[in-house]
Amino acid sequence: MTLSDTAQVRGDIDPSLLATFPPNFQWGVATSSYQIEGAAEADGRSLSIWDTFANKPGAVYQGQNGDVAADHYHHMREDVALMAQLGIRSYRFSIAWPRIIPTGVGAVNASGLAFYSQLVDALLEHGIAPMATLYHWDLPQVLQEQGGWLSRNTAFAFADYAEAVVGHLGDRVKHWITINEPFCISYLGHADGKHAPGMRDPQAAIIAAHHVLLGHGLAVPRIRALMPDAQVGITLDFSPIYAADDLPETRQAVTSEDTFRNRWFVEPVYRGTYPETLFAEQHVAPPPIQEGDMALISAPLDFLGVNYYSRQLIGGDPDNSGSTRAIYPVPGSAHTVMGWEVFPQGLNDLLLRLHRDYAPAALYVTENGAAYNDEWDGGDRVSDPERREYLVAHIEAVAHAIDQGAPVQGYFVWSFMDNFEWGEGYSKRFGVVYIDYPTQRRIVKDSGHWYHDLLARAPGSPAR
Ligand code: FCB
């Protein structure tokens, strides 16, 4: 039986929209190191802040951690072969800093690099373009002990680490993402406490954010110096904010939430300044900005990576008290098991807004996807019609954005396979490939078969 034979195509993207995608469009899937690799102690890897955090009682669902995860470290060739079978054209993965420089700064660990070098070779052998993220949240614990992102030194350590990686893989990897989701690193990790390192201090989030951005800014020229033909970008997560009514207090709340949730990072990167009202509205002091920082942070990029899952809806108090509230769940809308509203129009609006307000040279949707309670039949079938519908609607939203002028050059489903969903542990499944964790068996979900089928029909497909 071939992969397509088992596909259950119910609901599909409008064929006329499929033609909108350019032939060289990067159709991909995404993962990250700590979420899939496991092999926590293999080949000289040191602890990351996520190892430490996950082992704190109560931090992660049922005390789960990434020690084994999807054991991708030992299933790498099988996983790449499966990607190839699915017709995936591009793979966004991340590199674990604790495997490359286990002491945070200093000596490079050749066996840690060897794993990624073999991964890249395997991808290229299968005709899959690698897109590498240098930091997807697994900071070496040893650096956390020296202040982590609250220390300016971490930004310099990151640039050294980036240079070490790009020096080894840059001959084969052409697309580099410095940092994944600085908002989550800063806010969830330092103010909200739900992510590593688990701090709860709004001022710390502001400082960490600046050092994360500085790390990005320091790394970019060093990547370019090594590999002048590299395409370099950053991935930001966005959650567009919408007003449920026309009240002045609602409009005010939407603007201020948008500044915090969406403009905090894109403005320094594209305009070289933090949004004017950000710090006062968040009741914090500005971060310690040194001369030259903002110029480094705003150096031109080849692309902006966009992660989009959902939106937020804000409305005024029905009792007219003058206060506002988040409307959740949204009446009449579907929601994923993360509790996130399914709102594809948000992705279309977001891509057009980014194009209009910041004019990035190119846009990639570096993550988009959904968690559902998938059920495996114990054989070779996982039925996940809601995920397929989610992907159809969001890919259509991207097509419309391209049609309306947004320079979107790729789309990556989050995720290739089920994995460790941070604080939610293994309870939330985002993959288009199911992982049976006790046996580490991979089973392509119906959505994965559908994606395969879509890619075979998309412009530029060798199967066309
Ligand atoms: C994003 C993360 C990614 C994944 C998805 C669901 O915030 O970048 O690692 O957990 O959410």
Side-chain angles (χ1 to χ4, degrees), residues 34 40-41 45-60 63-67 98 102 137-146 189 193-199 420 422:
Y34 189 72
E41 290 177 7
R45 177 188 182 274
S46 66
L47 291 181
S48 77
I49 55 173
W50 266 94
D51 297 280
T52 311
F53 182 72
N55 290 317
K56 278 189 196 152
V60 174
Q64 295 170 345
N65 60 44
D67 283 1
W137 308 356
D138 37 6
L139 184 74
Q141 176 62 28
V142 62
L143 290 183
Q144 187 60 39
E145 276 144 32
Q146 294 159 41
K194 294 217 174 75
H195 280 187
M199 291 179 65
F420 176 80
W422 309 114

mmCIF file of all heavy atoms in Angstrom, residues 34 40-41 45-60 63-67 98 102 137-146 189 193-199 420 422:
data_model
loop_
_atom_site.group_PDB
_atom_site.id
_atom_site.type_symbol
_atom_site.label_atom_id
_atom_site.label_comp_id
_atom_site.label_asym_id
_atom_site.label_seq_id
_atom_site.Cartn_x
_atom_site.Cartn_y
_atom_site.Cartn_z
ATOM 1 N N TYR A 34 14.600 20.013 21.552
ATOM 2 C CA TYR A 34 14.214 19.427 22.846
ATOM 3 C C TYR A 34 12.889 18.671 22.740
ATOM 4 O O TYR A 34 12.662 17.698 23.461
ATOM 5 C CB TYR A 34 14.102 20.508 23.934
ATOM 6 C CG TYR A 34 13.915 19.895 25.301
ATOM 7 C CD1 TYR A 34 14.967 19.236 25.946
ATOM 8 C CD2 TYR A 34 12.671 19.912 25.944
ATOM 9 C CE1 TYR A 34 14.787 18.626 27.183
ATOM 10 C CE2 TYR A 34 12.491 19.314 27.183
ATOM 11 C CZ TYR A 34 13.553 18.671 27.795
ATOM 12 O OH TYR A 34 13.375 18.060 29.034
ATOM 13 N N ALA A 40 19.028 12.495 25.905
ATOM 14 C CA ALA A 40 19.411 13.664 26.712
ATOM 15 C C ALA A 40 20.871 13.612 27.143
ATOM 16 O O ALA A 40 21.469 14.655 27.384
ATOM 17 C CB ALA A 40 18.501 13.773 27.928
ATOM 18 N N GLU A 41 21.415 12.404 27.235
ATOM 19 C CA GLU A 41 22.806 12.340 27.718
ATOM 20 C C GLU A 41 23.776 11.862 26.650
ATOM 21 O O GLU A 41 24.937 11.582 26.940
ATOM 22 C CB GLU A 41 22.868 11.429 28.941
ATOM 23 C CG GLU A 41 22.175 12.081 30.124
ATOM 24 C CD GLU A 41 22.136 11.222 31.361
ATOM 25 O OE1 GLU A 41 22.762 10.140 31.375
ATOM 26 O OE2 GLU A 41 21.458 11.643 32.311
ATOM 27 N N ARG A 45 26.113 15.738 25.375
ATOM 28 C CA ARG A 45 25.131 16.823 25.596
ATOM 29 C C ARG A 45 25.072 17.160 27.087
ATOM 30 O O ARG A 45 25.021 16.265 27.928
ATOM 31 C CB ARG A 45 23.745 16.385 25.121
ATOM 32 C CG ARG A 45 22.632 17.414 25.375
ATOM 33 C CD ARG A 45 21.263 16.801 25.050
ATOM 34 N NE ARG A 45 20.154 17.728 25.210
ATOM 35 C CZ ARG A 45 19.519 17.956 26.350
ATOM 36 N NH1 ARG A 45 19.900 17.351 27.459
ATOM 37 N NH2 ARG A 45 18.497 18.791 26.379
ATOM 38 N N SER A 46 25.024 18.444 27.376
ATOM 39 C CA SER A 46 24.846 18.866 28.770
ATOM 40 C C SER A 46 23.375 19.194 29.008
ATOM 41 O O SER A 46 22.567 19.173 28.077
ATOM 42 C CB SER A 46 25.731 20.078 29.070
ATOM 43 O OG SER A 46 25.291 21.195 28.316
ATOM 44 N N LEU A 47 23.035 19.521 30.223
ATOM 45 C CA LEU A 47 21.643 19.851 30.543
ATOM 46 C C LEU A 47 21.254 21.202 29.959
ATOM 47 O O LEU A 47 22.066 22.122 29.906
ATOM 48 C CB LEU A 47 21.454 19.940 32.050
ATOM 49 C CG LEU A 47 21.539 18.652 32.856
ATOM 50 C CD1 LEU A 47 21.297 18.964 34.331
ATOM 51 C CD2 LEU A 47 20.517 17.638 32.355
ATOM 52 N N SER A 48 19.987 21.289 29.569
ATOM 53 C CA SER A 48 19.460 22.592 29.163
ATOM 54 C C SER A 48 18.500 23.062 30.253
ATOM 55 O O SER A 48 18.132 22.289 31.156
ATOM 56 C CB SER A 48 18.691 22.478 27.838
ATOM 57 O OG SER A 48 17.411 21.919 28.070
ATOM 58 N N ILE A 49 18.061 24.324 30.121
ATOM 59 C CA ILE A 49 17.127 24.846 31.128
ATOM 60 C C ILE A 49 15.815 24.070 31.111
ATOM 61 O O ILE A 49 15.116 24.025 32.109
ATOM 62 C CB ILE A 49 16.864 26.361 30.960
ATOM 63 C CG1 ILE A 49 16.383 26.715 29.541
ATOM 64 C CG2 ILE A 49 18.125 27.147 31.317
ATOM 65 C CD1 ILE A 49 15.957 28.191 29.386
ATOM 66 N N TRP A 50 15.502 23.440 29.974
ATOM 67 C CA TRP A 50 14.261 22.673 29.932
ATOM 68 C C TRP A 50 14.389 21.344 30.680
ATOM 69 O O TRP A 50 13.412 20.860 31.249
ATOM 70 C CB TRP A 50 13.753 22.494 28.490
ATOM 71 C CG TRP A 50 12.780 23.596 28.205
ATOM 72 C CD1 TRP A 50 13.038 24.794 27.610
ATOM 73 C CD2 TRP A 50 11.396 23.632 28.613
ATOM 74 N NE1 TRP A 50 11.900 25.566 27.600
ATOM 75 C CE2 TRP A 50 10.881 24.886 28.201
ATOM 76 C CE3 TRP A 50 10.550 22.744 29.270
ATOM 77 C CZ2 TRP A 50 9.555 25.260 28.433
ATOM 78 C CZ3 TRP A 50 9.226 23.119 29.501
ATOM 79 C CH2 TRP A 50 8.736 24.362 29.090
ATOM 80 N N ASP A 51 15.570 20.751 30.710
ATOM 81 C CA ASP A 51 15.761 19.540 31.524
ATOM 82 C C ASP A 51 15.513 19.890 32.990
ATOM 83 O O ASP A 51 14.829 19.170 33.716
ATOM 84 C CB ASP A 51 17.194 19.007 31.380
ATOM 85 C CG ASP A 51 17.499 18.576 29.957
ATOM 86 O OD1 ASP A 51 17.097 17.472 29.573
ATOM 87 O OD2 ASP A 51 18.136 19.364 29.214
ATOM 88 N N THR A 52 16.107 20.998 33.403
ATOM 89 C CA THR A 52 15.999 21.407 34.807
ATOM 90 C C THR A 52 14.553 21.758 35.150
ATOM 91 O O THR A 52 14.013 21.304 36.156
ATOM 92 C CB THR A 52 16.891 22.643 35.053
ATOM 93 O OG1 THR A 52 18.172 22.364 34.508
ATOM 94 C CG2 THR A 52 16.993 22.976 36.519
ATOM 95 N N PHE A 53 13.951 22.554 34.277
ATOM 96 C CA PHE A 53 12.578 23.032 34.539
ATOM 97 C C PHE A 53 11.592 21.866 34.582
ATOM 98 O O PHE A 53 10.758 21.765 35.483
ATOM 99 C CB PHE A 53 12.183 24.025 33.444
ATOM 100 C CG PHE A 53 10.824 24.630 33.613
ATOM 101 C CD1 PHE A 53 10.578 25.573 34.614
ATOM 102 C CD2 PHE A 53 9.783 24.273 32.769
ATOM 103 C CE1 PHE A 53 9.319 26.145 34.762
ATOM 104 C CE2 PHE A 53 8.520 24.845 32.905
ATOM 105 C CZ PHE A 53 8.292 25.779 33.911
ATOM 106 N N ALA A 54 11.719 20.960 33.584
ATOM 107 C CA ALA A 54 10.768 19.848 33.490
ATOM 108 C C ALA A 54 10.844 18.957 34.727
ATOM 109 O O ALA A 54 9.864 18.305 35.088
ATOM 110 C CB ALA A 54 11.041 19.030 32.231
ATOM 111 N N ASN A 55 11.991 18.947 35.360
ATOM 112 C CA ASN A 55 12.112 18.074 36.528
ATOM 113 C C ASN A 55 11.700 18.747 37.834
ATOM 114 O O ASN A 55 11.754 18.143 38.888
ATOM 115 C CB ASN A 55 13.528 17.485 36.580
ATOM 116 C CG ASN A 55 13.687 16.468 35.437
ATOM 117 O OD1 ASN A 55 12.785 15.670 35.185
ATOM 118 N ND2 ASN A 55 14.787 16.539 34.707
ATOM 119 N N LYS A 56 11.202 19.994 37.734
ATOM 120 C CA LYS A 56 10.644 20.641 38.935
ATOM 121 C C LYS A 56 9.219 20.144 39.126
ATOM 122 O O LYS A 56 8.414 20.197 38.190
ATOM 123 C CB LYS A 56 10.573 22.166 38.729
ATOM 124 C CG LYS A 56 11.876 22.860 38.976
ATOM 125 C CD LYS A 56 11.637 24.382 38.972
ATOM 126 C CE LYS A 56 12.953 25.083 38.817
ATOM 127 N NZ LYS A 56 12.859 26.384 38.176
ATOM 128 N N PRO A 57 8.881 19.700 40.335
ATOM 129 C CA PRO A 57 7.523 19.207 40.557
ATOM 130 C C PRO A 57 6.475 20.238 40.144
ATOM 131 O O PRO A 57 6.598 21.418 40.487
ATOM 132 C CB PRO A 57 7.483 18.951 42.070
ATOM 133 C CG PRO A 57 8.915 18.849 42.501
ATOM 134 C CD PRO A 57 9.730 19.652 41.532
ATOM 135 N N GLY A 58 5.500 19.772 39.370
ATOM 136 C CA GLY A 58 4.393 20.650 38.989
ATOM 137 C C GLY A 58 4.645 21.513 37.773
ATOM 138 O O GLY A 58 3.734 22.179 37.289
ATOM 139 N N ALA A 59 5.871 21.505 37.228
ATOM 140 C CA ALA A 59 6.160 22.402 36.106
ATOM 141 C C ALA A 59 5.539 21.894 34.803
ATOM 142 O O ALA A 59 5.048 22.676 33.991
ATOM 143 C CB ALA A 59 7.663 22.582 35.939
ATOM 144 N N VAL A 60 5.582 20.589 34.590
ATOM 145 C CA VAL A 60 5.096 20.009 33.335
ATOM 146 C C VAL A 60 4.037 18.950 33.664
ATOM 147 O O VAL A 60 4.126 18.265 34.688
ATOM 148 C CB VAL A 60 6.265 19.364 32.545
ATOM 149 C CG1 VAL A 60 5.755 18.625 31.306
ATOM 150 C CG2 VAL A 60 7.290 20.421 32.140
ATOM 151 N N GLY A 63 4.693 15.536 35.310
ATOM 152 C CA GLY A 63 6.141 15.435 35.553
ATOM 153 C C GLY A 63 6.931 14.916 34.358
ATOM 154 O O GLY A 63 8.054 14.426 34.519
ATOM 155 N N GLN A 64 6.356 15.059 33.150
ATOM 156 C CA GLN A 64 7.046 14.527 31.957
ATOM 157 C C GLN A 64 8.219 15.418 31.548
ATOM 158 O O GLN A 64 8.288 16.579 31.914
ATOM 159 C CB GLN A 64 6.032 14.396 30.808
ATOM 160 C CG GLN A 64 4.970 13.366 31.142
ATOM 161 C CD GLN A 64 3.793 13.359 30.169
ATOM 162 O OE1 GLN A 64 3.610 14.293 29.404
ATOM 163 N NE2 GLN A 64 2.991 12.313 30.223
ATOM 164 N N ASN A 65 9.138 14.839 30.783
ATOM 165 C CA ASN A 65 10.299 15.624 30.320
ATOM 166 C C ASN A 65 10.751 15.127 28.939
ATOM 167 O O ASN A 65 10.143 14.226 28.365
ATOM 168 C CB ASN A 65 11.448 15.523 31.335
ATOM 169 C CG ASN A 65 11.897 14.090 31.536
ATOM 170 O OD1 ASN A 65 12.058 13.331 30.563
ATOM 171 N ND2 ASN A 65 12.096 13.685 32.780
ATOM 172 N N GLY A 66 11.810 15.727 28.422
ATOM 173 C CA GLY A 66 12.269 15.404 27.064
ATOM 174 C C GLY A 66 13.394 14.376 27.028
ATOM 175 O O GLY A 66 14.090 14.280 26.001
ATOM 176 N N ASP A 67 13.583 13.623 28.100
ATOM 177 C CA ASP A 67 14.697 12.656 28.129
ATOM 178 C C ASP A 67 14.678 11.713 26.920
ATOM 179 O O ASP A 67 15.721 11.378 26.381
ATOM 180 C CB ASP A 67 14.640 11.789 29.398
ATOM 181 C CG ASP A 67 15.134 12.542 30.622
ATOM 182 O OD1 ASP A 67 15.494 13.731 30.491
ATOM 183 O OD2 ASP A 67 15.133 11.942 31.723
ATOM 184 N N PRO A 98 23.229 22.835 23.926
ATOM 185 C CA PRO A 98 23.979 21.986 24.874
ATOM 186 C C PRO A 98 24.662 20.776 24.226
ATOM 187 O O PRO A 98 25.486 20.122 24.862
ATOM 188 C CB PRO A 98 22.917 21.507 25.869
ATOM 189 C CG PRO A 98 21.733 22.381 25.648
ATOM 190 C CD PRO A 98 21.794 22.862 24.228
ATOM 191 N N PRO A 102 28.688 22.217 25.170
ATOM 192 C CA PRO A 102 28.073 21.757 26.425
ATOM 193 C C PRO A 102 28.392 22.665 27.613
ATOM 194 O O PRO A 102 27.621 22.736 28.563
ATOM 195 C CB PRO A 102 28.667 20.356 26.630
ATOM 196 C CG PRO A 102 29.118 19.923 25.261
ATOM 197 C CD PRO A 102 29.507 21.162 24.528
ATOM 198 N N TRP A 137 14.870 27.470 22.475
ATOM 199 C CA TRP A 137 14.572 27.461 23.915
ATOM 200 C C TRP A 137 15.449 26.592 24.807
ATOM 201 O O TRP A 137 15.311 26.640 26.023
ATOM 202 C CB TRP A 137 13.109 27.117 24.187
ATOM 203 C CG TRP A 137 12.129 27.957 23.434
ATOM 204 C CD1 TRP A 137 12.400 29.034 22.609
ATOM 205 C CD2 TRP A 137 10.706 27.805 23.404
ATOM 206 N NE1 TRP A 137 11.235 29.557 22.103
ATOM 207 C CE2 TRP A 137 10.183 28.822 22.558
ATOM 208 C CE3 TRP A 137 9.823 26.932 24.017
ATOM 209 C CZ2 TRP A 137 8.824 28.968 22.325
ATOM 210 C CZ3 TRP A 137 8.467 27.065 23.781
ATOM 211 C CH2 TRP A 137 7.969 28.074 22.939
ATOM 212 N N ASP A 138 16.367 25.786 24.232
ATOM 213 C CA ASP A 138 17.148 24.914 25.126
ATOM 214 C C ASP A 138 18.512 25.531 25.448
ATOM 215 O O ASP A 138 19.549 25.071 24.980
ATOM 216 C CB ASP A 138 17.274 23.477 24.581
ATOM 217 C CG ASP A 138 17.424 23.401 23.065
ATOM 218 O OD1 ASP A 138 17.558 24.461 22.398
ATOM 219 O OD2 ASP A 138 17.426 22.270 22.540
ATOM 220 N N LEU A 139 18.476 26.560 26.287
ATOM 221 C CA LEU A 139 19.712 27.220 26.738
ATOM 222 C C LEU A 139 20.506 26.251 27.622
ATOM 223 O O LEU A 139 19.917 25.578 28.472
ATOM 224 C CB LEU A 139 19.340 28.458 27.566
ATOM 225 C CG LEU A 139 20.516 29.328 28.040
ATOM 226 C CD1 LEU A 139 21.090 30.121 26.865
ATOM 227 C CD2 LEU A 139 20.079 30.280 29.147
ATOM 228 N N PRO A 140 21.835 26.177 27.445
ATOM 229 C CA PRO A 140 22.607 25.353 28.372
ATOM 230 C C PRO A 140 22.366 25.791 29.827
ATOM 231 O O PRO A 140 22.441 26.998 30.127
ATOM 232 C CB PRO A 140 24.068 25.597 27.950
ATOM 233 C CG PRO A 140 23.975 26.007 26.513
ATOM 234 C CD PRO A 140 22.679 26.766 26.401
ATOM 235 N N GLN A 141 22.081 24.846 30.685
ATOM 236 C CA GLN A 141 21.812 25.161 32.095
ATOM 237 C C GLN A 141 22.980 25.915 32.733
ATOM 238 O O GLN A 141 22.796 26.792 33.565
ATOM 239 C CB GLN A 141 21.524 23.848 32.854
ATOM 240 C CG GLN A 141 21.312 23.994 34.345
ATOM 241 C CD GLN A 141 20.110 24.865 34.710
ATOM 242 O OE1 GLN A 141 19.136 24.958 33.940
ATOM 243 N NE2 GLN A 141 20.164 25.517 35.866
ATOM 244 N N VAL A 142 24.185 25.563 32.296
ATOM 245 C CA VAL A 142 25.364 26.211 32.874
ATOM 246 C C VAL A 142 25.329 27.732 32.645
ATOM 247 O O VAL A 142 25.780 28.499 33.491
ATOM 248 C CB VAL A 142 26.650 25.534 32.319
ATOM 249 C CG1 VAL A 142 26.759 25.682 30.811
ATOM 250 C CG2 VAL A 142 27.905 26.060 32.975
ATOM 251 N N LEU A 143 24.728 28.159 31.537
ATOM 252 C CA LEU A 143 24.608 29.610 31.307
ATOM 253 C C LEU A 143 23.501 30.218 32.162
ATOM 254 O O LEU A 143 23.590 31.376 32.579
ATOM 255 C CB LEU A 143 24.359 29.902 29.824
ATOM 256 C CG LEU A 143 25.541 29.633 28.891
ATOM 257 C CD1 LEU A 143 25.188 30.030 27.463
ATOM 258 C CD2 LEU A 143 26.789 30.390 29.335
ATOM 259 N N GLN A 144 22.468 29.436 32.400
ATOM 260 C CA GLN A 144 21.408 29.931 33.301
ATOM 261 C C GLN A 144 22.003 30.226 34.671
ATOM 262 O O GLN A 144 21.650 31.213 35.327
ATOM 263 C CB GLN A 144 20.280 28.880 33.415
ATOM 264 C CG GLN A 144 19.062 29.366 34.183
ATOM 265 C CD GLN A 144 18.426 30.592 33.546
ATOM 266 O OE1 GLN A 144 18.346 30.704 32.321
ATOM 267 N NE2 GLN A 144 17.997 31.551 34.361
ATOM 268 N N GLU A 145 22.917 29.376 35.082
ATOM 269 C CA GLU A 145 23.525 29.580 36.398
ATOM 270 C C GLU A 145 24.376 30.855 36.451
ATOM 271 O O GLU A 145 24.673 31.358 37.521
ATOM 272 C CB GLU A 145 24.317 28.340 36.803
ATOM 273 C CG GLU A 145 23.358 27.335 37.429
ATOM 274 C CD GLU A 145 23.662 25.894 37.132
ATOM 275 O OE1 GLU A 145 24.846 25.549 36.972
ATOM 276 O OE2 GLU A 145 22.698 25.103 37.037
ATOM 277 N N GLN A 146 24.715 31.371 35.273
ATOM 278 C CA GLN A 146 25.444 32.647 35.244
ATOM 279 C C GLN A 146 24.515 33.809 34.881
ATOM 280 O O GLN A 146 24.962 34.852 34.398
ATOM 281 C CB GLN A 146 26.594 32.562 34.240
ATOM 282 C CG GLN A 146 27.669 31.551 34.658
ATOM 283 C CD GLN A 146 28.517 31.078 33.492
ATOM 284 O OE1 GLN A 146 28.889 31.865 32.633
ATOM 285 N NE2 GLN A 146 28.812 29.790 33.456
ATOM 286 N N GLY A 189 8.839 32.528 29.944
ATOM 287 C CA GLY A 189 9.958 32.028 30.740
ATOM 288 C C GLY A 189 10.304 32.882 31.947
ATOM 289 O O GLY A 189 10.792 32.377 32.955
ATOM 290 N N GLY A 193 6.220 32.376 34.140
ATOM 291 C CA GLY A 193 6.735 31.213 34.870
ATOM 292 C C GLY A 193 6.319 29.859 34.320
ATOM 293 O O GLY A 193 6.706 28.827 34.863
ATOM 294 N N LYS A 194 5.567 29.850 33.205
ATOM 295 C CA LYS A 194 5.087 28.552 32.694
ATOM 296 C C LYS A 194 6.120 27.842 31.841
ATOM 297 O O LYS A 194 5.948 26.677 31.488
ATOM 298 C CB LYS A 194 3.803 28.764 31.893
ATOM 299 C CG LYS A 194 2.648 29.233 32.756
ATOM 300 C CD LYS A 194 1.335 28.606 32.286
ATOM 301 C CE LYS A 194 0.174 28.931 33.213
ATOM 302 N NZ LYS A 194 -0.321 30.314 33.063
ATOM 303 N N HIS A 195 7.157 28.560 31.430
ATOM 304 C CA HIS A 195 8.245 27.944 30.652
ATOM 305 C C HIS A 195 9.564 28.144 31.395
ATOM 306 O O HIS A 195 9.681 29.017 32.262
ATOM 307 C CB HIS A 195 8.333 28.594 29.267
ATOM 308 C CG HIS A 195 7.313 28.077 28.294
ATOM 309 N ND1 HIS A 195 7.302 28.430 26.964
ATOM 310 C CD2 HIS A 195 6.280 27.216 28.441
ATOM 311 C CE1 HIS A 195 6.305 27.815 26.345
ATOM 312 N NE2 HIS A 195 5.667 27.076 27.226
ATOM 313 N N ALA A 196 10.569 27.366 30.981
ATOM 314 C CA ALA A 196 11.899 27.509 31.566
ATOM 315 C C ALA A 196 12.417 28.917 31.286
ATOM 316 O O ALA A 196 12.171 29.436 30.200
ATOM 317 C CB ALA A 196 12.836 26.473 30.955
ATOM 318 N N PRO A 197 13.112 29.564 32.213
ATOM 319 C CA PRO A 197 13.564 29.036 33.510
ATOM 320 C C PRO A 197 12.557 29.172 34.648
ATOM 321 O O PRO A 197 12.928 28.939 35.801
ATOM 322 C CB PRO A 197 14.819 29.867 33.784
ATOM 323 C CG PRO A 197 14.524 31.194 33.159
ATOM 324 C CD PRO A 197 13.703 30.896 31.925
ATOM 325 N N GLY A 198 11.322 29.551 34.343
ATOM 326 C CA GLY A 198 10.275 29.539 35.363
ATOM 327 C C GLY A 198 10.262 30.748 36.281
ATOM 328 O O GLY A 198 9.777 30.679 37.399
ATOM 329 N N MET A 199 10.751 31.897 35.800
ATOM 330 C CA MET A 199 10.730 33.101 36.651
ATOM 331 C C MET A 199 9.379 33.808 36.548
ATOM 332 O O MET A 199 8.675 33.670 35.557
ATOM 333 C CB MET A 199 11.841 34.070 36.216
ATOM 334 C CG MET A 199 13.233 33.538 36.516
ATOM 335 S SD MET A 199 14.496 34.682 35.968
ATOM 336 C CE MET A 199 14.142 36.044 37.040
ATOM 337 N N PHE A 420 7.081 16.580 22.591
ATOM 338 C CA PHE A 420 6.974 17.134 23.946
ATOM 339 C C PHE A 420 6.484 18.573 23.845
ATOM 340 O O PHE A 420 7.244 19.449 23.442
ATOM 341 C CB PHE A 420 8.360 17.068 24.609
ATOM 342 C CG PHE A 420 8.413 17.695 25.973
ATOM 343 C CD1 PHE A 420 7.949 17.011 27.084
ATOM 344 C CD2 PHE A 420 8.949 18.967 26.151
ATOM 345 C CE1 PHE A 420 8.010 17.589 28.351
ATOM 346 C CE2 PHE A 420 9.010 19.551 27.415
ATOM 347 C CZ PHE A 420 8.533 18.858 28.510
ATOM 348 N N TRP A 422 6.078 21.174 25.629
ATOM 349 C CA TRP A 422 6.478 22.050 26.739
ATOM 350 C C TRP A 422 5.681 21.754 28.017
ATOM 351 O O TRP A 422 5.640 20.594 28.431
ATOM 352 C CB TRP A 422 6.375 23.518 26.279
ATOM 353 C CG TRP A 422 7.102 23.752 24.977
ATOM 354 C CD1 TRP A 422 6.547 24.100 23.775
ATOM 355 C CD2 TRP A 422 8.534 23.606 24.716
ATOM 356 N NE1 TRP A 422 7.538 24.201 22.802
ATOM 357 C CE2 TRP A 422 8.750 23.901 23.359
ATOM 358 C CE3 TRP A 422 9.639 23.267 25.514
ATOM 359 C CZ2 TRP A 422 10.012 23.866 22.765
ATOM 360 C CZ3 TRP A 422 10.905 23.230 24.926
ATOM 361 C CH2 TRP A 422 11.073 23.528 23.570
#
